Amino acid sequence: MLVVLVLLAAPVAAVALFWGSWGWVAAAAAISVVEYATLRRSQRFSARVWRSVPIGRRRSRERATETLYIVTAVAGVALLVVALLIAV
C-alpha cells in the first residue's frame, strides 16, 4: 500500500514543483485525478473479483481500468522526474 501512496503522491508533488507553469500544472493535476479515480475503481474490482472469479475471467473493462491506472502512474512518476530535472 505504501508504493501505491508514493505513486499517487508523485503527480501531486509535480504540481507543487511546476507551480507557475500552468500547462504543466494542469497536466500533473489531471494525471493525479485520473490516477486516483482508476485506483479506487481497480481496488473495488480486485476486492470483489478475487473472491469469486478465476483470474482468467476478468472482463475487458476492468483490464482497461487497471491499464489506465498503470499508464497514469508511470506518467505521474515521469512528470515528477521532469519537474525535478527542471528545478535543478
Side-chain angles (χ1 to χ4, degrees):
M1 189 66 181
L2 182 63
V3 173
V4 171
L5 294 176
V6 169
L7 289 175
L8 190 57
V12 174
V15 166
L17 291 172
F18 279 130
W19 198 256
S21 296
W22 302 116
W24 286 103
V25 169
I31 286 174
S32 64
V33 167
V34 171
E35 183 177 348
Y36 178 72
T38 56
L39 173 66
R40 287 184 47 104
R41 172 71 180 135
S42 66
Q43 283 180 337
R44 282 195 309 264
F45 167 72
S46 294
R48 184 181 73 239
V49 167
W50 298 128
R51 285 185 258 125
S52 60
V53 178
I55 292 173
R57 297 198 172 244
R58 296 170 62 182
R59 294 186 296 180
S60 62
R61 190 175 88 208
E62 283 79 13
R63 280 194 302 256
T65 300
E66 290 178 354
T67 302
L68 183 59
Y69 170 73
I70 291 170
V71 169
T72 56
V74 169
V77 170
L79 277 175
L80 180 61
V81 168
V82 169
L84 289 172
L85 291 175
I86 290 174
V88 171

